[in-house]
Amino acid sequence: MHQVRRTQDDDDEEIHEVLGVDLVVLSFFLVVLIAVSVSAEARHIPSSAASIVLGSLLGIAAHLVGADRLATFDEELFLYLLLPPVIFEAGFSLSARSFFSNLATILTFAIPGTMLSTFVIGCTVYTAGRAGWFGDGSGGDVLDFDSPLEPFIFGALVSATDPSQIL
């Protein structure tokens, strides 16, 4: 029997084929997202709310079909590629007149509100962690709860995203 050897070109072709299918699916969902956002804005519904509903429905559909195991969450992709446009869009869509007329209110919520939120979330996570609510499944904890440093860092991280969304 004659054995067929795979070459580097065969591997490259398979990778390009998989990436091609992924890009077609991604493009399709981006077109659907744009259509849903435009349609929602025409009905005076925030496009972000429509995007959340669409994403939830697609997530449920992927789970029911079993395709959710194919997708993984990449933190670097989220932090470096997906999050900056959300933050910059909020800044670009804000009118300067509206921003400066509400500056005192914004600063009141942004600075003391963020500090209060950091404190409340940090205390809650630290207390819940000391009670053993954040196990990793193998008997250990997800964070180090010997000192409150990590829970308060988590609280600061989560609280710092709220002021950018308020803008």
Side-chain angles (χ1 to χ4, degrees):
M1 225 183 200
H2 180 38
Q3 249 185 353
V4 178
R5 282 186 55 177
R6 290 186 58 91
T7 64
Q8 181 67 30
D9 290 338
D10 292 337
D11 291 341
D12 289 345
E13 186 175 314
E14 186 177 325
I15 290 171
H16 288 291
E17 186 177 315
V18 170
L19 286 176
V21 171
D22 288 348
L23 288 176
V24 168
V25 170
L26 177 66
S27 299
F28 172 75
F29 284 126
L30 286 175
V31 168
V32 169
L33 177 62
I34 291 169
V36 167
S37 295
V38 169
S39 175
E41 288 290 335
R43 291 178 175 83
H44 303 291
I45 299 170
S47 62
S48 59
S51 298
I52 289 171
V53 170
L54 177 65
S56 298
L57 292 175
L58 289 174
I60 291 169
H63 180 71
L64 292 176
V65 176
D68 57 340
R69 294 186 179 128
L70 300 175
T72 59
F73 182 76
D74 184 11
E75 297 88 5
E76 289 185 3
L77 174 74
F78 177 75
L79 288 174
Y80 297 128
L81 191 65
L82 299 177
L83 188 60
V86 171
I87 294 171
F88 289 132
E89 190 275 331
F92 285 134
S93 65
L94 182 67
S95 72
R97 173 177 287 197
S98 177
F99 177 77
F100 287 112
S101 67
N102 294 310
L103 187 62
T105 305
I106 291 170
L107 291 177
T108 300
F109 282 109
I111 296 170
T114 301
M115 293 173 74
L116 178 64
S117 178
T118 298
F119 180 75
V120 169
I121 291 172
C123 287
T124 303
V125 170
Y126 179 68
T127 304
R130 296 291 288 176
W133 291 3
F134 293 112
D136 62 1
S138 64
D141 285 328
V142 176
L143 296 174
D144 178 19
F145 295 109
D146 292 334
S147 75
L149 179 64
E150 286 187 20
F152 277 95
I153 290 174
F154 175 76
L157 176 73
V158 172
S159 298
T161 59
D162 291 336
S164 66
Q165 291 296 7
I166 289 171
L167 292 177

